[in-house]
Amino acid sequence: MRIQGKMFLWLSFFILAMAIVYGVWSKEPAGTTALFLGFGLSIMIGYYLAFTARRVDAMAQDNKDADVADEAGEVGFFSPHSWQPLSLAVGGALAFMGVVFGWWLLYFSLPVILVGLFGWVFEYYRGENQNQ
């Protein structure tokens, strides 16, 4: 994690330099704001990775003499299937259509979004995939 933190911190300094150059040269506020926001996001990720790297053990990517096989093993748990993102997408589409057609449509999209959100959070606490 240490190397990723350094990469994001160096990237943030590059984005900051480009934001300053772009802002002075073009005098265009939208692009300049987007670059400064990109700098902020990059520095947050870099700080988090650098902060976390101090608290965890060194990983294989932090060792210059490591092989690819040194990081082999279980990566983590990945959900095999889930229908909840579909209901969240439908609810989100209804919510965004509410901005276009009328705010009353948000009353119909909110229950769909909440059902999808609660279903996604608690999908491993009930049903065939229950593991708790």
Side-chain angles (χ1 to χ4, degrees), residues 48-132:
Y48 170 76
L49 289 173
F51 179 75
T52 306
R54 285 185 273 152
R55 297 184 333 180
V56 298
D57 296 333
M59 300 175 75
Q61 63 230 14
D62 294 326
N63 184 4
K64 292 183 189 278
D65 298 326
D67 291 329
V68 174
D70 291 342
E71 198 63 40
E74 184 177 333
V75 177
F77 174 75
F78 300 99
S79 180
H81 63 280
S82 178
W83 287 97
Q84 306 309 323
L86 180 63
S87 63
L88 282 173
V90 169
L94 282 174
F96 282 110
M97 286 192 326
V99 174
V100 175
F101 296 115
W103 294 102
W104 57 269
L105 200 53
L106 291 175
Y107 294 119
F108 297 105
S109 66
L110 186 63
V112 177
I113 290 173
L114 289 177
V115 165
L117 186 65
F118 284 118
W120 206 359
V121 169
F122 296 114
E123 71 182 331
Y124 289 107
Y125 292 97
R126 60 181 167 72
E128 67 182 31
N129 296 323
Q130 183 176 2
N131 61 8
Q132 295 283 335

